[in-house]
Amino acid sequence: MTWRCTGIRWNDGVPAIGWCAEGRAERGSPLAYGQRLAFAARGERRCLGVRRAGKRTPCPTAATVPGRAGNAQCPECARLDRSFSVAADTNAADPRTYRVYLAWFGPEMVKVGITAEERGPARLLEQGAVTWTWLGRGPLMATRRTEELLRAALGVPDRIAYARKRAVRVHLPTAADRAREVAELHA
């Protein structure tokens, strides 16, 4: 049996490497800070399919994904994933509850965003947020409008480039200074 790596996932604030295998339930290998990590990659990279509502549907063609590709999906599966993307607003009838947040990544580097409430802080951890605050909750389109209103009113973006976030991580201010900057925007 071949297990495929699905990437890093967050579960209750703990990072884990995700794994999937045909006909088996997905599983994760929890990661601890400073833990040694090694595994072998063999053969061609294959599309991981589409994950929706906690269940993975395999790629119907088991398409090969180029080794240098930025994601682990073939174009068709990526298109299907995108069809229900919150960022694309293509599923306005999504019945889930969403939360609006302010995320802090570094000095004067705050963004506003939304995430499905069921994900808890996982989305913020995936983005590399150092600290954050919840601002509200509600249906998708209401939280999307709130996000846009706050973006304009506070003068904060809804995206921050990974390179910028990474560059400031080595020289973060104290926890009190970080909390103060988020609290000022929250107020």
Side-chain angles (χ1 to χ4, degrees), residues 156-178:
V156 296
D158 58 358
R159 289 181 180 85
I160 296 176
Y162 174 75
R164 284 190 61 213
K165 291 185 234 182
R166 187 175 169 110
V168 300
R169 286 301 283 249
V170 294
H171 301 293
L172 292 175
T174 66
D177 289 339
R178 296 190 298 250

Side-chain angles (χ1 to χ4, degrees), residues 97-108:
T97 298
Y98 285 83
R99 295 184 82 173
V100 182
Y101 62 83
L102 284 175
W104 188 93
F105 299 94
E108 298 180 20

Side-chain angles (χ1 to χ4, degrees), residues 4 48 54 80 89 92 97 101 103-104 110 127-128 154:
R4 294 195 216 160
L48 290 174
L80 289 172
D89 282 340
T97 298
Y101 62 83
W104 188 93
V110 177
Q127 293 178 40
L154 298 174

Side-chain angles (χ1 to χ4, degrees), residues 97-145:
T97 298
Y98 285 83
R99 295 184 82 173
V100 182
Y101 62 83
L102 284 175
W104 188 93
F105 299 94
E108 298 180 20
M109 202 177 301
V110 177
K111 71 163 268 198
V112 63
I114 68 170
T115 186
E117 186 170 61
E118 68 213 29
R119 296 201 66 211
R123 178 73 184 128
L124 296 145
L125 293 167
E126 290 167 358
Q127 293 178 40
V130 177
T131 190
W132 61 84
T133 185
W134 300 113
L135 301 175
R137 59 190 293 274
L140 174 60
M141 297 314 287
T143 56
R144 176 62 74 210
R145 285 189 299 273

Side-chain angles (χ1 to χ4, degrees), residues 16-67:
I17 296 178
W19 304 97
C20 69
E22 193 169 332
R24 301 293 296 266
E26 284 193 53
R27 52 176 73 164
S29 300
L31 297 172
Y33 183 76
Q35 172 185 358
R36 290 189 182 273
L37 175 66
F39 57 92
R42 295 188 188 105
E44 295 178 308
R45 243 178 111 188
R46 297 281 177 185
C47 177
L48 290 174
V50 178
R51 183 177 166 89
R52 191 173 290 141
K55 182 176 183 280
R56 185 169 305 280
T57 302
C59 176
T61 62
T64 300
V65 177

